[in-house]
mmCIF file of all heavy atoms in Angstrom:
data_model
loop_
_atom_site.group_PDB
_atom_site.id
_atom_site.type_symbol
_atom_site.label_atom_id
_atom_site.label_comp_id
_atom_site.label_asym_id
_atom_site.label_seq_id
_atom_site.Cartn_x
_atom_site.Cartn_y
_atom_site.Cartn_z
ATOM 1 N N SER N 1 -114.079 -108.643 -85.123
ATOM 2 C CA SER N 1 -114.143 -109.792 -84.229
ATOM 3 C C SER N 1 -114.995 -110.898 -84.844
ATOM 4 O O SER N 1 -115.803 -110.654 -85.750
ATOM 5 C CB SER N 1 -114.733 -109.347 -82.879
ATOM 6 O OG SER N 1 -114.955 -110.429 -82.012
ATOM 7 N N GLY N 2 -114.816 -112.109 -84.328
ATOM 8 C CA GLY N 2 -115.631 -113.228 -84.786
ATOM 9 C C GLY N 2 -115.889 -114.211 -83.668
ATOM 10 O O GLY N 2 -115.003 -114.497 -82.856
ATOM 11 N N SER N 3 -117.106 -114.735 -83.595
ATOM 12 C CA SER N 3 -117.470 -115.694 -82.548
ATOM 13 C C SER N 3 -117.032 -117.102 -82.939
ATOM 14 O O SER N 3 -117.384 -117.606 -84.016
ATOM 15 C CB SER N 3 -118.978 -115.683 -82.309
ATOM 16 O OG SER N 3 -119.379 -114.494 -81.659
ATOM 17 N N ILE N 4 -116.267 -117.722 -82.054
ATOM 18 C CA ILE N 4 -115.920 -119.142 -82.124
ATOM 19 C C ILE N 4 -116.152 -119.696 -80.727
ATOM 20 O O ILE N 4 -115.490 -119.281 -79.783
ATOM 21 C CB ILE N 4 -114.454 -119.362 -82.554
ATOM 22 C CG1 ILE N 4 -114.191 -118.766 -83.944
ATOM 23 C CG2 ILE N 4 -114.112 -120.849 -82.535
ATOM 24 C CD1 ILE N 4 -112.731 -118.858 -84.381
ATOM 25 N N HIS N 5 -117.095 -120.604 -80.587
ATOM 26 C CA HIS N 5 -117.443 -121.147 -79.274
ATOM 27 C C HIS N 5 -116.652 -122.430 -79.035
ATOM 28 O O HIS N 5 -116.842 -123.417 -79.747
ATOM 29 C CB HIS N 5 -118.937 -121.433 -79.184
ATOM 30 C CG HIS N 5 -119.786 -120.207 -79.245
ATOM 31 N ND1 HIS N 5 -121.135 -120.243 -79.559
ATOM 32 C CD2 HIS N 5 -119.490 -118.895 -79.030
ATOM 33 C CE1 HIS N 5 -121.624 -119.010 -79.522
ATOM 34 N NE2 HIS N 5 -120.639 -118.176 -79.207
ATOM 35 N N TYR N 6 -115.801 -122.404 -78.025
ATOM 36 C CA TYR N 6 -114.878 -123.519 -77.800
ATOM 37 C C TYR N 6 -115.557 -124.880 -77.637
ATOM 38 O O TYR N 6 -115.034 -125.886 -78.134
ATOM 39 C CB TYR N 6 -113.951 -123.207 -76.604
ATOM 40 C CG TYR N 6 -114.636 -122.792 -75.326
ATOM 41 C CD1 TYR N 6 -114.864 -123.696 -74.305
ATOM 42 C CD2 TYR N 6 -115.057 -121.471 -75.134
ATOM 43 C CE1 TYR N 6 -115.496 -123.309 -73.126
ATOM 44 C CE2 TYR N 6 -115.688 -121.084 -73.961
ATOM 45 C CZ TYR N 6 -115.911 -122.008 -72.962
ATOM 46 O OH TYR N 6 -116.538 -121.637 -71.808
ATOM 47 N N PRO N 7 -116.751 -125.021 -76.995
ATOM 48 C CA PRO N 7 -117.318 -126.375 -76.881
ATOM 49 C C PRO N 7 -117.933 -126.891 -78.185
ATOM 50 O O PRO N 7 -118.278 -128.071 -78.268
ATOM 51 C CB PRO N 7 -118.396 -126.232 -75.806
ATOM 52 C CG PRO N 7 -118.225 -124.878 -75.207
ATOM 53 C CD PRO N 7 -117.577 -124.052 -76.256
ATOM 54 N N ARG N 8 -118.083 -126.012 -79.175
ATOM 55 C CA ARG N 8 -118.711 -126.431 -80.435
ATOM 56 C C ARG N 8 -117.682 -126.918 -81.455
ATOM 57 O O ARG N 8 -118.024 -127.127 -82.630
ATOM 58 C CB ARG N 8 -119.548 -125.270 -80.988
ATOM 59 C CG ARG N 8 -120.870 -125.125 -80.231
ATOM 60 C CD ARG N 8 -121.697 -123.942 -80.664
ATOM 61 N NE ARG N 8 -123.108 -124.146 -80.323
ATOM 62 C CZ ARG N 8 -123.939 -123.203 -79.925
ATOM 63 N NH1 ARG N 8 -123.518 -121.950 -79.785
ATOM 64 N NH2 ARG N 8 -125.204 -123.471 -79.653
ATOM 65 N N SER N 9 -116.453 -127.073 -81.001
ATOM 66 C CA SER N 9 -115.409 -127.705 -81.791
ATOM 67 C C SER N 9 -114.528 -128.464 -80.814
ATOM 68 O O SER N 9 -114.823 -128.517 -79.624
ATOM 69 C CB SER N 9 -114.619 -126.659 -82.592
ATOM 70 O OG SER N 9 -114.161 -125.614 -81.754
ATOM 71 N N THR N 10 -113.444 -129.036 -81.280
ATOM 72 C CA THR N 10 -112.547 -129.792 -80.404
ATOM 73 C C THR N 10 -111.240 -129.028 -80.236
ATOM 74 O O THR N 10 -110.867 -128.219 -81.088
ATOM 75 C CB THR N 10 -112.254 -131.176 -80.998
ATOM 76 O OG1 THR N 10 -111.536 -131.011 -82.233
ATOM 77 C CG2 THR N 10 -113.545 -131.948 -81.255
ATOM 78 N N PRO N 11 -110.523 -129.287 -79.142
ATOM 79 C CA PRO N 11 -109.232 -128.611 -78.952
ATOM 80 C C PRO N 11 -108.279 -128.799 -80.122
ATOM 81 O O PRO N 11 -107.481 -127.902 -80.432
ATOM 82 C CB PRO N 11 -108.687 -129.257 -77.672
ATOM 83 C CG PRO N 11 -109.902 -129.682 -76.917
ATOM 84 C CD PRO N 11 -110.885 -130.120 -77.966
ATOM 85 N N GLU N 12 -108.381 -129.954 -80.782
ATOM 86 C CA GLU N 12 -107.508 -130.202 -81.934
ATOM 87 C C GLU N 12 -107.876 -129.307 -83.117
ATOM 88 O O GLU N 12 -107.033 -129.037 -83.976
ATOM 89 C CB GLU N 12 -107.598 -131.676 -82.333
ATOM 90 C CG GLU N 12 -106.996 -132.638 -81.316
ATOM 91 C CD GLU N 12 -107.864 -132.856 -80.078
ATOM 92 O OE1 GLU N 12 -109.062 -132.467 -80.101
ATOM 93 O OE2 GLU N 12 -107.352 -133.412 -79.090
ATOM 94 N N MET N 13 -109.122 -128.842 -83.182
ATOM 95 C CA MET N 13 -109.558 -127.951 -84.257
ATOM 96 C C MET N 13 -109.222 -126.490 -83.974
ATOM 97 O O MET N 13 -109.145 -125.678 -84.898
ATOM 98 C CB MET N 13 -111.078 -128.082 -84.471
ATOM 99 C CG MET N 13 -111.552 -129.425 -84.979
ATOM 100 S SD MET N 13 -113.370 -129.547 -84.978
ATOM 101 C CE MET N 13 -113.813 -128.307 -86.218
ATOM 102 N N TRP N 14 -109.067 -126.141 -82.694
ATOM 103 C CA TRP N 14 -108.942 -124.733 -82.320
ATOM 104 C C TRP N 14 -107.816 -123.991 -83.044
ATOM 105 O O TRP N 14 -108.056 -122.894 -83.568
ATOM 106 C CB TRP N 14 -108.774 -124.595 -80.804
ATOM 107 C CG TRP N 14 -109.962 -125.012 -80.005
ATOM 108 C CD1 TRP N 14 -111.252 -125.200 -80.467
ATOM 109 C CD2 TRP N 14 -109.999 -125.319 -78.605
ATOM 110 N NE1 TRP N 14 -112.072 -125.598 -79.442
ATOM 111 C CE2 TRP N 14 -111.342 -125.679 -78.287
ATOM 112 C CE3 TRP N 14 -109.050 -125.317 -77.600
ATOM 113 C CZ2 TRP N 14 -111.726 -126.029 -77.004
ATOM 114 C CZ3 TRP N 14 -109.430 -125.670 -76.306
ATOM 115 C CH2 TRP N 14 -110.756 -126.017 -76.015
ATOM 116 N N PRO N 15 -106.579 -124.516 -83.094
ATOM 117 C CA PRO N 15 -105.508 -123.734 -83.739
ATOM 118 C C PRO N 15 -105.818 -123.389 -85.198
ATOM 119 O O PRO N 15 -105.563 -122.268 -85.640
ATOM 120 C CB PRO N 15 -104.276 -124.649 -83.622
ATOM 121 C CG PRO N 15 -104.563 -125.512 -82.435
ATOM 122 C CD PRO N 15 -106.046 -125.760 -82.484
ATOM 123 N N ASP N 16 -106.381 -124.340 -85.937
ATOM 124 C CA ASP N 16 -106.692 -124.097 -87.343
ATOM 125 C C ASP N 16 -107.810 -123.070 -87.493
ATOM 126 O O ASP N 16 -107.744 -122.180 -88.354
ATOM 127 C CB ASP N 16 -107.095 -125.411 -88.018
ATOM 128 C CG ASP N 16 -107.368 -125.239 -89.509
ATOM 129 O OD1 ASP N 16 -106.420 -124.900 -90.248
ATOM 130 O OD2 ASP N 16 -108.536 -125.425 -89.922
ATOM 131 N N LEU N 17 -108.836 -123.173 -86.656
ATOM 132 C CA LEU N 17 -109.938 -122.205 -86.707
ATOM 133 C C LEU N 17 -109.430 -120.797 -86.402
ATOM 134 O O LEU N 17 -109.790 -119.824 -87.087
ATOM 135 C CB LEU N 17 -111.035 -122.591 -85.720
ATOM 136 C CG LEU N 17 -111.764 -123.906 -85.971
ATOM 137 C CD1 LEU N 17 -112.702 -124.226 -84.809
ATOM 138 C CD2 LEU N 17 -112.560 -123.855 -87.281
ATOM 139 N N ILE N 18 -108.595 -120.685 -85.372
ATOM 140 C CA ILE N 18 -108.071 -119.370 -84.971
ATOM 141 C C ILE N 18 -107.163 -118.808 -86.055
ATOM 142 O O ILE N 18 -107.222 -117.611 -86.384
ATOM 143 C CB ILE N 18 -107.330 -119.502 -83.620
ATOM 144 C CG1 ILE N 18 -108.328 -119.860 -82.507
ATOM 145 C CG2 ILE N 18 -106.599 -118.211 -83.274
ATOM 146 C CD1 ILE N 18 -107.668 -120.351 -81.229
ATOM 147 N N TRP N 19 -106.333 -119.648 -86.644
ATOM 148 C CA TRP N 19 -105.431 -119.198 -87.719
ATOM 149 C C TRP N 19 -106.233 -118.699 -88.918
ATOM 150 O O TRP N 19 -105.914 -117.645 -89.496
ATOM 151 C CB TRP N 19 -104.511 -120.345 -88.128
ATOM 152 C CG TRP N 19 -103.521 -119.954 -89.191
ATOM 153 C CD1 TRP N 19 -102.332 -119.315 -89.039
ATOM 154 C CD2 TRP N 19 -103.658 -120.177 -90.606
ATOM 155 N NE1 TRP N 19 -101.710 -119.116 -90.254
ATOM 156 C CE2 TRP N 19 -102.512 -119.644 -91.233
ATOM 157 C CE3 TRP N 19 -104.635 -120.777 -91.398
ATOM 158 C CZ2 TRP N 19 -102.308 -119.693 -92.621
ATOM 159 C CZ3 TRP N 19 -104.441 -120.822 -92.773
ATOM 160 C CH2 TRP N 19 -103.300 -120.289 -93.364
ATOM 161 N N LYS N 20 -107.280 -119.442 -89.296
ATOM 162 C CA LYS N 20 -108.107 -119.023 -90.434
ATOM 163 C C LYS N 20 -108.843 -117.724 -90.124
ATOM 164 O O LYS N 20 -109.059 -116.904 -91.020
ATOM 165 C CB LYS N 20 -109.092 -120.127 -90.806
ATOM 166 C CG LYS N 20 -108.421 -121.312 -91.506
ATOM 167 C CD LYS N 20 -109.388 -122.465 -91.722
ATOM 168 C CE LYS N 20 -108.726 -123.605 -92.460
ATOM 169 N NZ LYS N 20 -109.597 -124.816 -92.550
ATOM 170 N N ALA N 21 -109.225 -117.545 -88.859
ATOM 171 C CA ALA N 21 -109.863 -116.289 -88.464
ATOM 172 C C ALA N 21 -108.880 -115.133 -88.606
ATOM 173 O O ALA N 21 -109.235 -114.049 -89.088
ATOM 174 C CB ALA N 21 -110.374 -116.391 -87.030
ATOM 175 N N LYS N 22 -107.645 -115.354 -88.190
ATOM 176 C CA LYS N 22 -106.635 -114.297 -88.310
ATOM 177 C C LYS N 22 -106.353 -113.989 -89.775
ATOM 178 O O LYS N 22 -106.257 -112.815 -90.169
ATOM 179 C CB LYS N 22 -105.351 -114.707 -87.595
ATOM 180 C CG LYS N 22 -104.290 -113.613 -87.600
ATOM 181 C CD LYS N 22 -103.085 -113.972 -86.762
ATOM 182 C CE LYS N 22 -102.086 -112.813 -86.722
ATOM 183 N NZ LYS N 22 -100.910 -113.126 -85.878
ATOM 184 N N GLN N 23 -106.231 -115.029 -90.590
ATOM 185 C CA GLN N 23 -106.002 -114.808 -92.021
ATOM 186 C C GLN N 23 -107.188 -114.096 -92.667
ATOM 187 O O GLN N 23 -107.036 -113.413 -93.678
ATOM 188 C CB GLN N 23 -105.753 -116.146 -92.720
ATOM 189 C CG GLN N 23 -104.486 -116.856 -92.275
ATOM 190 C CD GLN N 23 -103.249 -116.009 -92.472
ATOM 191 O OE1 GLN N 23 -102.972 -115.529 -93.572
ATOM 192 N NE2 GLN N 23 -102.494 -115.795 -91.405
ATOM 193 N N GLY N 24 -108.361 -114.250 -92.066
ATOM 194 C CA GLY N 24 -109.547 -113.571 -92.573
ATOM 195 C C GLY N 24 -109.653 -112.122 -92.136
ATOM 196 O O GLY N 24 -110.644 -111.455 -92.448
ATOM 197 N N GLY N 25 -108.649 -111.637 -91.423
ATOM 198 C CA GLY N 25 -108.613 -110.224 -91.055
ATOM 199 C C GLY N 25 -109.198 -109.895 -89.703
ATOM 200 O O GLY N 25 -109.467 -108.723 -89.412
ATOM 201 N N LEU N 26 -109.387 -110.908 -88.830
ATOM 202 C CA LEU N 26 -109.950 -110.634 -87.512
ATOM 203 C C LEU N 26 -108.871 -110.170 -86.532
ATOM 204 O O LEU N 26 -107.715 -110.568 -86.622
ATOM 205 C CB LEU N 26 -110.630 -111.889 -86.956
ATOM 206 C CG LEU N 26 -112.143 -112.015 -87.236
ATOM 207 C CD1 LEU N 26 -112.434 -111.963 -88.725
ATOM 208 C CD2 LEU N 26 -112.687 -113.308 -86.640
ATOM 209 N N ASP N 27 -109.284 -109.299 -85.622
ATOM 210 C CA ASP N 27 -108.442 -108.847 -84.513
ATOM 211 C C ASP N 27 -108.800 -109.550 -83.210
ATOM 212 O O ASP N 27 -107.974 -109.634 -82.293
ATOM 213 C CB ASP N 27 -108.630 -107.337 -84.269
ATOM 214 C CG ASP N 27 -108.430 -106.505 -85.515
ATOM 215 O OD1 ASP N 27 -107.309 -106.476 -86.028
ATOM 216 O OD2 ASP N 27 -109.420 -105.888 -85.964
ATOM 217 N N VAL N 28 -110.051 -109.992 -83.112
ATOM 218 C CA VAL N 28 -110.612 -110.454 -81.835
ATOM 219 C C VAL N 28 -111.369 -111.758 -82.061
ATOM 220 O O VAL N 28 -112.038 -111.927 -83.080
ATOM 221 C CB VAL N 28 -111.591 -109.406 -81.242
ATOM 222 C CG1 VAL N 28 -112.111 -109.848 -79.876
ATOM 223 C CG2 VAL N 28 -110.959 -108.027 -81.164
ATOM 224 N N ILE N 29 -111.265 -112.690 -81.104
ATOM 225 C CA ILE N 29 -112.142 -113.859 -81.050
ATOM 226 C C ILE N 29 -113.093 -113.655 -79.872
ATOM 227 O O ILE N 29 -112.671 -113.362 -78.753
ATOM 228 C CB ILE N 29 -111.352 -115.166 -80.857
ATOM 229 C CG1 ILE N 29 -110.367 -115.369 -82.020
ATOM 230 C CG2 ILE N 29 -112.312 -116.350 -80.737
ATOM 231 C CD1 ILE N 29 -111.007 -115.510 -83.380
ATOM 232 N N GLN N 30 -114.366 -113.827 -80.142
ATOM 233 C CA GLN N 30 -115.390 -113.660 -79.110
ATOM 234 C C GLN N 30 -115.991 -115.014 -78.769
ATOM 235 O O GLN N 30 -116.272 -115.810 -79.662
ATOM 236 C CB GLN N 30 -116.483 -112.724 -79.616
ATOM 237 C CG GLN N 30 -117.662 -112.540 -78.658
ATOM 238 C CD GLN N 30 -118.677 -111.553 -79.190
ATOM 239 O OE1 GLN N 30 -118.458 -110.353 -79.187
ATOM 240 N NE2 GLN N 30 -119.801 -112.062 -79.676
ATOM 241 N N THR N 31 -116.159 -115.287 -77.483
ATOM 242 C CA THR N 31 -116.836 -116.521 -77.085
ATOM 243 C C THR N 31 -117.671 -116.281 -75.846
ATOM 244 O O THR N 31 -117.352 -115.435 -75.009
ATOM 245 C CB THR N 31 -115.841 -117.661 -76.818
ATOM 246 O OG1 THR N 31 -116.578 -118.872 -76.547
ATOM 247 C CG2 THR N 31 -114.925 -117.368 -75.636
ATOM 248 N N TYR N 32 -118.754 -117.036 -75.754
ATOM 249 C CA TYR N 32 -119.490 -117.140 -74.505
ATOM 250 C C TYR N 32 -118.722 -118.052 -73.551
ATOM 251 O O TYR N 32 -117.828 -118.811 -73.948
ATOM 252 C CB TYR N 32 -120.865 -117.762 -74.739
ATOM 253 C CG TYR N 32 -121.905 -116.854 -75.344
ATOM 254 C CD1 TYR N 32 -122.574 -117.208 -76.519
ATOM 255 C CD2 TYR N 32 -122.259 -115.666 -74.730
ATOM 256 C CE1 TYR N 32 -123.564 -116.395 -77.065
ATOM 257 C CE2 TYR N 32 -123.248 -114.838 -75.267
ATOM 258 C CZ TYR N 32 -123.885 -115.209 -76.430
ATOM 259 O OH TYR N 32 -124.859 -114.410 -76.954
ATOM 260 N N VAL N 33 -119.112 -118.022 -72.274
ATOM 261 C CA VAL N 33 -118.668 -118.981 -71.270
ATOM 262 C C VAL N 33 -119.893 -119.809 -70.885
ATOM 263 O O VAL N 33 -120.931 -119.247 -70.523
ATOM 264 C CB VAL N 33 -118.065 -118.276 -70.038
ATOM 265 C CG1 VAL N 33 -117.648 -119.307 -68.992
ATOM 266 C CG2 VAL N 33 -116.866 -117.422 -70.452
ATOM 267 N N PHE N 34 -119.768 -121.141 -70.967
ATOM 268 C CA PHE N 34 -120.938 -122.018 -70.871
ATOM 269 C C PHE N 34 -121.028 -122.632 -69.470
ATOM 270 O O PHE N 34 -120.388 -123.640 -69.161
ATOM 271 C CB PHE N 34 -120.857 -123.086 -71.959
ATOM 272 C CG PHE N 34 -120.914 -122.496 -73.344
ATOM 273 C CD1 PHE N 34 -119.760 -122.044 -73.972
ATOM 274 C CD2 PHE N 34 -122.124 -122.351 -73.998
ATOM 275 C CE1 PHE N 34 -119.812 -121.474 -75.231
ATOM 276 C CE2 PHE N 34 -122.187 -121.785 -75.262
ATOM 277 C CZ PHE N 34 -121.027 -121.344 -75.882
ATOM 278 N N TRP N 35 -121.854 -121.997 -68.648
ATOM 279 C CA TRP N 35 -121.964 -122.349 -67.231
ATOM 280 C C TRP N 35 -122.302 -123.825 -67.045
ATOM 281 O O TRP N 35 -121.678 -124.524 -66.239
ATOM 282 C CB TRP N 35 -123.010 -121.445 -66.581
ATOM 283 C CG TRP N 35 -123.132 -121.546 -65.084
ATOM 284 C CD1 TRP N 35 -122.444 -122.364 -64.229
ATOM 285 C CD2 TRP N 35 -124.011 -120.763 -64.259
ATOM 286 N NE1 TRP N 35 -122.836 -122.140 -62.923
ATOM 287 C CE2 TRP N 35 -123.794 -121.166 -62.914
ATOM 288 C CE3 TRP N 35 -124.950 -119.766 -64.521
ATOM 289 C CZ2 TRP N 35 -124.501 -120.608 -61.845
ATOM 290 C CZ3 TRP N 35 -125.650 -119.202 -63.454
ATOM 291 C CH2 TRP N 35 -125.422 -119.623 -62.138
ATOM 292 N N ASN N 36 -123.302 -124.328 -67.774
ATOM 293 C CA ASN N 36 -123.726 -125.716 -67.534
ATOM 294 C C ASN N 36 -122.662 -126.727 -67.939
ATOM 295 O O ASN N 36 -122.641 -127.847 -67.426
ATOM 296 C CB ASN N 36 -125.074 -126.033 -68.203
ATOM 297 C CG ASN N 36 -125.118 -125.656 -69.670
ATOM 298 O OD1 ASN N 36 -124.102 -125.372 -70.293
ATOM 299 N ND2 ASN N 36 -126.315 -125.639 -70.233
ATOM 300 N N GLY N 37 -121.766 -126.339 -68.854
ATOM 301 C CA GLY N 37 -120.657 -127.220 -69.180
ATOM 302 C C GLY N 37 -119.575 -127.208 -68.128
ATOM 303 O O GLY N 37 -118.878 -128.210 -67.916
ATOM 304 N N HIS N 38 -119.429 -126.069 -67.445
ATOM 305 C CA HIS N 38 -118.348 -125.900 -66.478
ATOM 306 C C HIS N 38 -118.747 -126.281 -65.046
ATOM 307 O O HIS N 38 -117.881 -126.577 -64.229
ATOM 308 C CB HIS N 38 -117.853 -124.450 -66.478
ATOM 309 C CG HIS N 38 -117.136 -124.069 -67.727
ATOM 310 N ND1 HIS N 38 -116.034 -124.738 -68.188
ATOM 311 C CD2 HIS N 38 -117.365 -123.066 -68.627
ATOM 312 C CE1 HIS N 38 -115.606 -124.167 -69.312
ATOM 313 N NE2 HIS N 38 -116.403 -123.171 -69.598
ATOM 314 N N GLU N 39 -120.042 -126.229 -64.731
ATOM 315 C CA GLU N 39 -120.488 -126.589 -63.378
ATOM 316 C C GLU N 39 -121.711 -127.502 -63.484
ATOM 317 O O GLU N 39 -122.833 -127.111 -63.172
ATOM 318 C CB GLU N 39 -120.810 -125.335 -62.550
ATOM 319 C CG GLU N 39 -120.947 -125.620 -61.066
ATOM 320 C CD GLU N 39 -121.235 -124.371 -60.235
ATOM 321 O OE1 GLU N 39 -121.373 -123.265 -60.821
ATOM 322 O OE2 GLU N 39 -121.334 -124.495 -59.006
ATOM 323 N N PRO N 40 -121.492 -128.747 -63.937
ATOM 324 C CA PRO N 40 -122.629 -129.650 -64.164
ATOM 325 C C PRO N 40 -123.394 -129.993 -62.896
ATOM 326 O O PRO N 40 -124.574 -130.334 -62.960
ATOM 327 C CB PRO N 40 -121.972 -130.892 -64.785
ATOM 328 C CG PRO N 40 -120.530 -130.802 -64.407
ATOM 329 C CD PRO N 40 -120.207 -129.353 -64.308
#
């Protein structure tokens, strides 16, 4: 698995980051859920 935190990149970056993670041999993407971003 590998941590990729969605607010620390942009939606336009996500597909490329996820693809590179898969090419790197990952099975799982791990992320936190950021309360203060979701319920300001």
Side-chain angles (χ1 to χ4, degrees):
S1 174
S3 289
I4 300 176
H5 294 161
Y6 52 98
R8 283 176 158 144
S9 52
T10 65
E12 292 76 14
M13 294 172 66
W14 294 344
D16 183 64
L17 296 173
I18 294 165
W19 182 82
K20 287 173 178 173
K22 184 174 184 179
Q23 295 303 305
L26 267 57
D27 307 295
V28 183
I29 300 298
Q30 176 177 286
T31 185
Y32 283 125
V33 178
F34 296 86
W35 188 359
N36 51 13
H38 291 303
E39 194 179 2

